[in-house]
Amino acid sequence: MVVSEPPDTPTGGRWPAAGLTPLGLSPVGIMRPTERFGYQLLRKTDRLDDRFPRRVGVPVKRPAF
């Protein structure tokens, strides 16, 4: 999966591995072609945890990370 990263984002701060693991994802790396924007690459490495997807409203009350 490719996720857009805003400018001035510290490396590795937005997508912690502990939060991605239950989603079956792992961080691959960040690509920053310019100073203004970048992309985070996430790879699907495992199955989605059984507790996902969650009911409507639950993600707002209890974010995954």
Side-chain angles (χ1 to χ4, degrees), residues 13-48:
R14 268 184 84 194
W15 304 101
L20 293 172
T21 301
L23 301 174
L25 299 171
S26 65
V28 175
I30 295 176
M31 297 175 61
R32 268 203 198 278
T34 70
E35 293 293 321
R36 296 184 57 210
F37 66 91
Y39 302 101
Q40 173 72 254
L41 303 173
L42 304 172
R43 177 176 290 152
K44 182 77 172 158
T45 57
D46 204 358
R47 293 182 47 145
L48 185 64

